[in-house]
Amino acid sequence: MSTKKVWFVTGASKGLGLSLVKRLLNEGYKVAATSRTVESLKKEVGSSENFLPLEVNVVDEKSVNDGITKTLAVFGSIDVVVNNAGYGQLGTLEELSDKESRENFDANIFGLLNVIRNVMPHFRNKRSGQFINISSIAGFEGQFPGWGIYNATKFAVAGLSEALAAETKSMGITTTVVYPGYFKTNFLLKGSLRFAEKPIADYKEARELDRAHIEDIPGNQPGDPEKAALAFIKLAESQNPPLHFFMGSDSYGMANNKMEALKNELSANEALSKSTDY
């Protein structure tokens, strides 16, 4: 009898999600994968008895619930959930409209919450399960001019993941928040990255970073999506998966730099910090 876990992966028609789905199927896992169009999944992955392509809009809770219900009907269980759906929104905090900002939160945060909320009854019932929530190094190190709203959504992924891990620990459910660096996927291409509708020229640092993400970075990312897929599988098969996982040498380096800066600020302001106690 197979002991292979059943995976539920959102945002699976491209990028890290697509690489993961293909690797999982190659290794004999059962995979339910979501995208906004089921045709895109079928085109990229093909067909297999172990593959369930699902047309799901993560912002629509009924759509999410329908996808999870169908997965349970077909595979009988869900063991690992990878919350990968979302997109990058560029634009400074002044430039982005309320609509642009809220739409990014809807996709990156409230969509993820819809999945968690609808999977949890199944996980609670069987007293096991694993969430792998995809943040970004921009969800730990926020000093990227013009990425403030996206940063905020990814910091939120980290914060709610920490709470989720604490809330479900006694149920045998684990959570890992993953902070990828730059991987050679189509994340920086049209469809996964949106720019401010009304840019303001005064923001020279943001415009330079915009230019870099269009001209310099695509094709030169250090991360290998195939190796990322293997890392996800190792996380899922670990007896004690980490709460925080920084994926890629660039992510690892930036995290270390941020922690060193925090340590320095703590030390420099220790007396002032403690001066507020009774």
Side-chain angles (χ1 to χ4, degrees):
M1 183 176 178
S2 174
T3 58
K4 290 282 190 180
K5 294 179 178 178
V6 178
W7 291 61
F8 185 90
V9 183
T10 69
S13 64
K14 55 189 173 182
L16 293 178
L18 178 59
S19 296
L20 173 59
V21 167
K22 288 181 175 179
R23 171 61 66 175
L24 289 169
L25 291 170
N26 285 340
E27 297 198 8
Y29 291 92
K30 293 178 180 178
V31 183
T34 82
S35 178
R36 284 172 292 179
T37 59
V38 75
E39 290 79 12
S40 61
L41 287 168
K42 291 178 179 177
K43 179 181 177 182
E44 294 291 346
V45 180
S47 60
S48 163
E49 64 178 9
N50 286 338
F51 178 52
L52 178 62
L54 297 166
E55 187 165 310
V56 171
N57 177 4
V58 295
V59 176
D60 182 339
E61 186 159 14
K62 182 180 184 303
S63 178
V64 171
N65 183 266
D66 288 346
I68 291 167
T69 299
K70 187 171 183 180
T71 302
L72 294 174
V74 172
F75 292 143
S77 182
I78 297 172
D79 301 300
V80 184
V81 171
V82 180
N83 279 306
N84 178 65
Y87 67 91
Q89 175 66 65
L90 271 67
T92 66
L93 298 177
E94 179 187 359
E95 290 170 336
L96 291 181
S97 66
D98 183 74
K99 179 176 181 289
E100 288 172 298
S101 300
R102 288 180 183 274
E103 285 181 351
N104 202 211
F105 269 89
D106 281 343
N108 294 4
I109 290 299
F110 291 103
L112 179 147
L113 283 171
N114 281 337
V115 175
I116 291 171
R117 190 181 300 114
N118 284 278
V119 168
M120 271 305 302
H122 174 64
F123 278 7
R124 281 192 293 107
N125 183 60
K126 71 192 189 90
R127 313 300 286 186
S128 69
Q130 182 173 11
F131 290 104
I132 298 178
N133 296 332
I134 310 304
S135 177
S136 164
I137 187 55
F140 186 78
E141 167 54 81
Q143 295 191 63
F144 296 95
W147 287 77
I149 292 300
Y150 177 76
N151 290 353
T153 68
K154 294 304 186 178
F155 268 82
V157 170
L160 68 85
S161 295
E162 289 190 357
L164 180 63
E167 292 167 354
T168 62
K169 183 178 180 180
S170 65
M171 303 178 199
I173 299 163
T174 65
T175 299
T176 296
V177 54
V178 178
Y179 306 86
Y182 287 101
F183 279 79
K184 199 167 291 183
T185 69
N186 54 7
F187 175 72
L188 297 180
L189 304 181
K190 186 177 180 181
S192 295
L193 198 61
R194 300 182 188 178
F195 292 84
E197 293 178 1
K198 297 180 178 179
I200 299 171
D202 285 344
Y203 287 103
K204 60 180 182 179
E205 294 89 354
R207 295 294 81 78
E208 174 55 29
L209 201 57
D210 286 352
R211 185 203 63 76
H213 281 90
I214 296 171
E215 300 176 9
D216 301 338
I217 298 174
N220 294 310
Q221 301 98 315
D224 181 346
E226 299 303 318
K227 292 179 180 178
L230 292 173
F232 284 130
I233 294 172
K234 287 183 178 180
L235 288 172
E237 297 300 336
S238 171
Q239 293 297 313
N240 186 29
L243 175 55
H244 299 278
F245 177 65
F246 294 89
M247 191 164 71
S249 59
D250 53 349
S251 176
Y252 186 89
M254 283 187 272
N256 264 323
N257 291 341
K258 171 73 175 283
M259 288 188 288
E260 188 63 31
L262 286 174
K263 288 179 182 178
N264 291 338
E265 289 189 345
L266 279 170
S267 297
N269 296 283
E270 181 178 3
L272 183 59
S273 293
K274 295 179 177 179
S275 72
T276 59
D277 293 350
Y278 281 108

